[in-house]
Amino acid sequence: MRKKVYHLNLGKSQLRNSKIALLPGDPFRVLKIAEKVRKQFGGNIEELAWKREFKTILCNTSIKPVLVTSTGIGGPSTSIVIEELAMLGIKTFVRVGTTGAIQKRIKLGDVIITTGAVRLDGASTHYAPIEYPAVADYKVVDSLTKAADKSNVRYHVGITASSDTFYPGQERYDSFTGHVLRRLQGSMKELQRLNVLNYEMESSTLLTLCSAMGLRGGSVSGVIVNRTVSENIKEESLRIGEDNAIKVAVGSLEYLL
Ligand code: URA
């Protein structure tokens, strides 16, 4: 029997020499992305594995193969995906996520193209000291902005904050206890003043690991809530944010493949 990486349950030959992976958090977003890749680049799609939160579909496009794998939520599971896909030969990693904006000017459905991330996660500190920057590969950023221009999706390019928790780490008070540790109180205002655009939970891990390992990393996220306006995430905003992030990520393949 051929050896498979443990969590993703994938063997190298299954990837057909894929070099690029699109990484949503949600396993149920994998098929949606793969179908968009097939629609835009032709070929066929094939489910390779689904274990825990890690689902993988291979897109055999008419140009080159593209892998779509879900990371689950947060840094720890994202680090597993980067490690195991890197072992299988993936060189370019593009997160396709959803996010909460913290600047007033950002609208629901806009996308954020991350140039760098504030490392509020723990996983990335197992790979590089906290002084090490979580920065995106400039070619990936360039490809994502070109794709956003081409698909007429409103976008913002800049710094993202990546937190290990959705509630206290992103200074949310609409939680079970409503309590946020003293050291995190006021943290959203501070990030707003530092021109941070948004909160999510994976980019700092992805970007730190990719840079530290000599791989290319990038991240695009659809805005599903603007925290300066409301804490409620509506179904319709989720759909538009998700669709626009997918449009831009898949569009970027035209430049990255
Ligand atoms: N994902 C997050 O981590 N935060 C948000 O506000 C929305 C999506």
Side-chain angles (χ1 to χ4, degrees):
M1 207 179 72
R2 261 184 237 116
K3 196 168 156 26
K4 293 189 171 191
V5 291
Y6 175 65
H7 298 87
L8 304 188
N9 198 26
L10 294 169
K12 196 169 169 62
S13 63
Q14 287 179 285
L15 267 65
R16 312 260 173 87
N17 211 24
S18 302
K19 298 291 175 211
I20 183 160
L22 300 182
L23 309 175
D26 183 354
F28 291 96
R29 216 179 292 149
V30 171
L31 180 60
K32 197 167 165 184
I33 295 174
E35 281 176 341
K36 181 94 179 155
V37 172
R38 175 172 56 185
K39 197 164 167 205
Q40 204 156 323
F41 297 95
N44 59 63
I45 61 175
E46 182 187 346
E47 182 174 325
L48 299 185
W50 190 344
K51 184 174 169 185
R52 299 187 180 217
E53 63 265 62
F54 308 116
K55 176 175 179 175
T56 298
I57 293 182
L58 175 70
C59 310
N60 293 298
T61 80
S62 51
I63 314 169
K64 281 179 186 168
V66 174
L67 209 65
V68 187
T69 298
S70 52
T71 61
I73 293 178
S77 60
T78 300
S79 76
I80 287 171
V81 172
I82 313 268
E83 282 278 5
E84 294 190 357
L85 290 185
M87 289 180 212
L88 299 173
I90 298 292
K91 304 283 185 209
T92 301
F93 298 81
V94 182
R95 168 169 153 71
V96 192
T98 54
T99 190
I102 61 171
Q103 299 292 344
K104 279 200 173 76
R105 65 181 183 281
I106 301 174
K107 294 187 171 33
L108 298 178
D110 290 1
V111 302
I112 309 287
I113 296 170
T114 300
T115 51
V118 185
R119 293 174 58 194
L120 305 177
D121 70 308
S124 72
T125 65
H126 294 195
Y127 286 83
I130 199 67
E131 296 83 2
Y132 188 91
V135 287
D137 179 271
Y138 78 96
K139 282 187 186 157
V140 177
V141 171
D142 187 47
S143 304
L144 289 168
T145 57
K146 281 182 185 147
D149 279 328
K150 198 167 170 183
S151 52
N152 281 323
V153 171
R154 255 177 64 104
Y155 66 96
H156 308 264
V157 180
I159 299 171
T160 291
S162 304
S163 162
D164 266 349
T165 53
F166 183 82
Y167 289 98
Q170 299 183 21
E171 210 190 342
R172 277 191 163 89
Y173 294 91
D174 58 339
S175 58
F176 178 54
T177 63
H179 181 63
V180 171
L181 286 186
R182 217 163 357 161
R183 74 177 173 86
L184 292 170
Q185 290 177 22
S187 54
M188 184 162 105
K189 185 144 215 76
E190 185 156 273
L191 292 169
Q192 287 168 328
R193 288 205 175 120
L194 293 168
N195 294 310
V196 171
L197 303 178
N198 62 310
Y199 276 119
E200 48 81 93
M201 300 178 68
E202 294 81 14
S203 293
S204 62
T205 304
L206 182 143
L207 300 179
T208 303
L209 267 63
C210 284
S211 294
M213 294 176 176
L215 305 163
R216 298 199 299 184
S219 176
V220 59
S221 305
V223 175
I224 61 170
V225 63
N226 186 316
R227 304 280 308 284
T228 69
V229 178
S230 166
E231 295 291 10
N232 290 331
I233 301 176
K234 299 203 178 90
E235 277 296 318
E236 180 60 4
S237 320
L238 176 61
R239 193 189 57 75
I240 298 172
E242 210 177 83
D243 283 354
N244 283 343
I246 292 173
K247 228 182 257 177
V248 172
V250 173
S252 76
L253 294 172
E254 188 180 329
Y255 312 100
L256 290 170
L257 281 176

